[in-house]
Every structure is written in structure tokens, then in C-alpha cells.
Amino acid sequence: MDFLRFWVGGYMFGFLFFIIIAHAANGDVSYSIPEEMKRGSVIGNIAKDLGLGVNRLSSRKARIDTEGNRKRYCEINLNTGELTVADRIDREAKCNEDVSCSLNFELVLEHPLEIHNVAIQIEDINDNTPTFPKDTVKLEIRESAIKGARFRVNEAHDADVGKNGVQSYYIEKNDNFILSVNAKADGGKNIELVLDKELDREQQKEVTLILTAVDGGTPPRSGTVAIHVTVLDANDNAPVFSQAVYKVSLPENSPVDTVVVTVSATDADEGQNGEVIYEFSRISAIAKELFYLDQKSGEIKVKSPVDFEELLRYEMFIEGKDGSGLSSDTKIIIQITDVNDNIPFIIIKSLNSPVPENASPGTEVGIINVQDRDSENNGQVHCSIQQNVPFKLAPSIKNYYSLVTTGELDREFVSDYNITITATDEGTPPLSSTKNIHFTVADVNDNPPLFEEQSYRAHVQENNKPGSSICSVSATDPDWRQNGTVVYSLLPSDVNGTPVSSFYPSTETPGSFMP
Ligand SMILES: *[C@@H]1O[C@H](CO)[C@@H](O)[C@H](O)[C@H]1NC(C)=O
Ligand SMILES: *[C@@H]1O[C@H](CO)[C@@H](O)[C@H](O)[C@H]1NC(C)=O
């Protein structure tokens, strides 16, 4: 498995650090795997790579934590310590066209709390084919066009990256055209048909060519487009965009129909040959759901509200085409800006209820985690606990808090607590949420039974019948169940040398004394 590489970074340092401060992240691990691996495939033995004892993974509640409610791609096998693929990992869906694509999550263990950052680099495989925006391209070319005249065609797109992306183009051999491919400033290619031998309308009214794009995968994949050339004799210029790249920013959740940007291309021709129609020549399926383009005005508008937390940048290409099919294109970059629209939420990671009443102050009774999907200040969360309870929140690693006792607990005084935890972010205005935690206090046999009176005095007539009651005593104990159940017995003593017990039969009703 030479495609599988991993490295353990800063582990030794982390381990030493961990001994000194129990609550600190102690080591990160990184793996590299190809996309689209089968569910259950082993990525690596994370327990071994982090030096964790495999036999304690279960008792330490080892688990993979992803931020928020994002998809879980990996799982840890608690018996073997292996990290396995839990769901389909499609690099293109996850990272678009970004060259580097990684999954980041945390491995969390308890007793004591320990968090490890895990990064998985997703390597591209050649699973996408180069595709042209349309199956056919229509061009109208005047027969007087001279040798060397150039006619632009939209480039093909391949969702794969690097060498798996489009590498080359060719056209089948023909009498009139050769192909010219040049790099553009934005990283794309400028594809042009170059007239090599002038057209003669009387000889040929139409020419059809097949243009092929090939990627560099092993094996390579290819896509084609048919180019239909109609030969006429009109004078014509291609439209020219006012900018090669339009870069704009858009606040997330902008209402439907908000104008994001207006593109504009001018064409030196008159009449129909100078009228420019705008069309997306390359746009992702996701972006197509969110934006639409007015063909005539060149306005890009919001079709459906955009969520910053989904994706923070969209790129697309627009083609401006005149009446005879001559065209040019421009690139649009839409940067989405964050709005504080996600409420912070509190997750209870572990809870030790009931708490024994003799737990010493400072005992950890729970671990909570707070999350907010917004970024920067909008995602900075502070956590607090209500006043007047013998518990506090002690900040732990990152966005984790320990819930610890601050004073003595007494079940006989308060037997359960309803604690309210509030999380508030730093956005303007701030958003907050609360969570109630219910705690019960477990009994410890810490109260001795107490008699209602210090001493009992009773008068007995002589010669009384056996079985008549002399006096009743009563003791109470506030502890719980058997810890609070009082059983009575007489201490051994004697009257003039005769044991007291001989005067009383054993009795089944504790507390009554009968001769
Ligand atoms: C806590 O809340 C529950 C129900 O929400 C209630 O039954 C209980 O009495 C409350 N306990 C305290 C100590 O307030
Ligand atoms: C009684 O107290 C002991 C500790 O002193 C404790 O272990 C036990 O659970 C208590 N019994 C009940 C019923 O709460």
C-alpha cells in the first residue's frame, strides 16, 4: 500500500507535556488516502500511531468527534485501534477544485480528557471525465476571413485536479483549421480554432469538426464537442468583457434577487452582430442552484440564499456571445462573508450522575463541549453556569469545559440539582443557547440515628402482666433507605446481678419494651 503514508508529529514532545498538564492536547497524526475508498477500509492504526493503549480505548470512551453536525467520514475500532472509512469520501464534493483537500477531526478520550487532532489528506483519483459546456458549438465565419483568423471555443472542464485534470486538446485532421491552445492568467486555457486555409463558400457551406479534451490520468479519460462552422460573408467582431476577472463579496443569507455583480461585454459590430447574450460557460452544480444569470443584462442574482458554512467561495465563467456566435469569456469569483446566523450549542460529552455526597470539592462530574458553526468572533463562544449552585465550569482543552463541584454536597439538604449552562457567542448581536443538566446526589451513610429524647423515664407497677408496654422510644436517621432505617437493640447491663434481658422477651416491634 504505497499510496498510504502517515506521519506522527510532535508526539514525543506532546507526551512529556501531557505528564505535566493532564488536560492538554498531546499529539497530532496525519494520514493520506485516495478518495472513494470502500467503507470499512483501514486508514491506519491510530492507537498505535499515537501510543495509546488499545485495551483501554473502550473504558476511555475513545471516539471521533467532527465539528458540529457535519458528516462523519471515519470511525475508530475500539478493539483494534484502527481508523476506518465510515462513509463515501468524494474529493470533488468535499473540496471542489482546491488542489489540497483534507478532512480534519478530533480523537477524544476521557479519564483524563485527551484530544488529538487528526488530518486525512484526500488524494485525487481520476474519476471525472473532461466535459465541454455544450455538446455542440455553432460558429458563423465569413468566407473572406483571412489565414490566421482566430475563433474562440469554450474550454473543457474536469472536476479532478492536478494531472487528472484536462491536459491537452486536439482536433481531427481537416482542410481549414488548426488548433491553438494558450494558458490564460486565471489558470485556464484559451482554446482557438485558427484558420489555416481560407474558406470557400461556393465549395463548402458547412464544416464540422470534433474537438477532443484529454486528461492526464492513468488510464486517461476524454470528452468531445462537435463544432459546426457555417460559412457566410458578414463582417464581425467578437465581444470584449470590461474585466477579465470580476471579484465580488456577498454576505451570506442575502435575499433572493440580490444583484451580486453585473458583467458587461461590448461588441464593435452593429445590429444583431453586436448584441451580446450572456451564458454560464462553466459553473458547478451547487453554484447553479444558488445563482442565476440574466442573459441580456449580464446581472448575476441570488436564486437561493447562500450559506457561508457550506462553502465560502464560488467561481464560475460567463461567456458573452454575439449574434453570429463569436464569443469571449470572463471569470467571476464570489466570496461569501459570514453573518452571525448560527446559535452556539452545548453538547454534554459525559456526565457522572449521581454524585456521591462525600465527593470532595473539585471532583469532575461532567464534560461539556460548545460549538458554533460561524467563523471568527461570530463563532467565539463563552460558557457560564447559573449562580448559587456548588458547581462551576473549568475551561479545559479548546472548546471543552469540565463541570466540577465547588463545595461540599449534602443529600439530606439538597438531593438533586437542575443546572443551567449558557453559551453565548461574540457576534453582533450575540446569539446564545442554554442547556439544563439534572444531577442527583447519592447517599452516603453519614448521619447517626438520633433519639427524640436524651433519656426516657418510665414507671412500672409491680406484678404487671407479661406483655404490657412500659414505654416507647423513637430515633430517626435522615439518610436514604437502609442507611436511614433504624434497628433497636438493648445494650447488655444488669439489675442486682440479673441481666436486664431476662426481664424482657425478645420483641418484633422495635422501640416497645415489654416485660
Ligand atoms: C428539576 O427539574 C425537574 C423537572 O424539570 C423537577 O421535577 C425537579 O423538581 C427539579 N429539581 C430541582 C432541585 O429544582
Ligand atoms: C448507603 O451508604 C453507602 C456508603 O456509606 C453507599 O455505598 C450506599 O449506596 C448507600 N445506600 C443507599 C440505598 O443509598
Side-chain angles (χ1 to χ4, degrees), residues 357-358 411 441-446 479-484:
E357 57 178 324
N358 63 351
R411 193 202 63 83
V441 181
D443 189 41
V444 167
N445 194 12
D446 56 355
D479 286 321
W480 181 246
R481 297 257 163 88
Q482 54 268 53
N483 291 341

Side-chain angles (χ1 to χ4, degrees), residues 21 27 95 112 128 134 214 227 246 278 318 359 380 385 437 507:
I21 303 164
C95 296
N128 288 282
K134 284 182 185 165
V214 190
I227 303 172
Y246 292 81
Y278 303 95
I318 288 179
Q380 282 295 324
I385 191 166
I437 300 182
T507 163

Side-chain angles (χ1 to χ4, degrees), residues 385-392 406 417-420:
I385 191 166
Q386 97 246 46
Q387 302 285 304
N388 309 326
V389 286
F391 296 96
K392 69 167 186 187
T406 55
Y417 291 93
N418 282 340
I419 300 175
T420 306

Side-chain angles (χ1 to χ4, degrees), residues 74-85:
C74 299
E75 214 80 76
I76 180 168
N77 181 327
L78 294 179
N79 298 320
T80 61
E82 282 169 337
L83 192 64
T84 58
V85 174

